[in-house]
Amino acid sequence: LSARLSSRPLAWSIVGADQMARLRVHRANGGKVYETMIKKRKEKQKEKRIEKLDKRVVKRKLNKKVEEKIDNITVLNIGKRTWASELLKSVRGA
């Protein structure tokens, strides 16, 4: 880190300095930066995919649980934005 901060010092945030220190330690210990970066990217994509699937599962379960038809609730069909209509729409998920 002294190479970055000594002759012509550049400012870093605390988080950035911590990440750079970890990166340099990883390289010094023989780690491959590119492979590690790809591995982390794949892990993030997997997490996003799992989140998306979880949302779909929850939405399906909510839709199956509601046996009442939404169309027969007058306050939702008149088009006015009232506190009741907003509340019911938020519960409905639309």
Side-chain angles (χ1 to χ4, degrees):
L1 295 177
S2 69
R4 170 98 178 181
L5 298 173
S6 59
S7 66
R8 288 204 225 137
L10 300 170
W12 276 346
S13 68
I14 293 173
V15 173
D18 180 59
Q19 289 176 345
M20 185 56 67
R22 289 174 188 268
L23 178 67
R24 289 189 176 210
V25 167
H26 181 70
R27 278 184 55 197
N29 288 335
K32 308 250 186 238
V33 176
Y34 186 73
E35 290 174 5
T36 304
M37 184 182 73
I38 296 222
K39 182 179 175 184
K40 288 203 180 229
R41 183 179 291 161
K42 285 182 181 181
E43 287 173 4
K44 283 183 182 180
Q45 287 174 348
K46 186 177 180 180
E47 288 174 12
K48 283 182 183 181
R49 196 175 321 120
I50 289 171
E51 259 182 53
K52 191 175 179 181
L53 288 173
D54 285 346
K55 285 180 183 179
R56 286 175 50 192
V57 168
V58 168
K59 189 174 181 180
R60 283 184 185 163
K61 286 186 179 183
L62 285 175
N63 286 340
K64 287 181 182 179
K65 294 283 181 184
V66 177
E67 295 175 6
E68 181 70 28
K69 294 273 186 198
I70 298 292
D71 294 336
N72 67 354
I73 301 175
T74 308
V75 74
L76 292 176
N77 295 329
I78 59 176
K80 262 183 142 179
R81 291 184 70 178
T82 63
W83 66 270
S85 67
E86 294 300 316
L87 176 70
L88 289 172
K89 285 179 183 176
S90 70
V91 170
R92 173 175 77 176

